[in-house]
Structures are given as C-alpha cells and as structure tokens.
Amino acid sequence: MIHLKVFSISWCKPCKAMEPALQELADRGLTIVKVDVEKQKAIAEMHGVRGVPTLKLYREENLVGRHTGAMTLAQLEAFTKKAEAQLPGLT
C-alpha cells in the first residue's frame, strides 16, 4: 500500500495551496495522512520535520520519497509514481 504523510500547519499558505491537489489524489484512492506539526510536535520531531509542508511517501512501511515545499498536482503525481515504480522489497 502506498501512502503519503503530509506535515503542515494550519496557517501555512503553501500548505493551504496544496489542499486541492491533495484532495484530488485522495479522491483517486491515495491514502493521505495529515499531521499538524503544531498539534502533534512529537510526531513531527520523530519524522525529522524542519519545514512545512513536508511530504513523506511510503510503500508499505518503507520510505521511498521525501520532499519539503509546496508541489503542484502534476508534481505530486510524479512524486507518487516513484513509489509505484519501486520493486517490492526495495527501499
């Protein structure tokens, strides 16, 4: 299973700008886990988040991609295809 963890803050303009693209991917079936770094500081620290938005892409439980900064829908699609292209068992 491929899933995307999105670390953001409610007042972050780039984070808000990504919402429609993230919703589009969720509507297509991608599992997206959103983490508010102000409300869930310990989780953000555990993941080494230093800026927002930070996106971490997983295939199964293996991290296959990480990006800090806003992305367009086309960029997010390319980013998520990276996980789809990974061979099973490889990180």
Side-chain angles (χ1 to χ4, degrees):
M1 178 176 95
I2 298 168
H3 65 280
L4 180 66
K5 290 184 182 176
V6 180
F7 297 85
S8 63
I9 298 174
S10 62
W11 47 263
C12 167
K13 288 185 182 183
C15 301
K16 287 182 182 182
M18 287 180 51
E19 283 299 319
L22 292 170
Q23 185 59 53
E24 174 68 26
L25 292 177
D27 291 346
R28 294 182 195 172
L30 179 65
T31 299
I32 298 176
V33 178
K34 296 181 182 178
V35 179
D36 184 316
V37 300
E38 284 186 321
K39 294 178 181 176
Q40 298 171 310
K41 290 179 184 179
I43 294 172
E45 288 175 10
M46 181 178 73
H47 284 270
V49 174
R50 302 221 184 277
V52 291
T54 292
L55 297 92
K56 295 182 80 175
L57 184 64
Y58 293 84
R59 181 181 177 117
E60 305 304 329
E61 297 303 316
N62 299 313
L63 180 66
V64 294
R66 180 186 175 113
H67 179 84
T68 300
M71 299 175 90
T72 65
L73 177 58
Q75 290 169 322
L76 284 165
E77 289 170 333
F79 184 65
T80 57
K81 285 184 185 197
K82 182 179 193 175
E84 294 168 2
Q86 291 283 329
L87 296 173
L90 297 179
T91 57

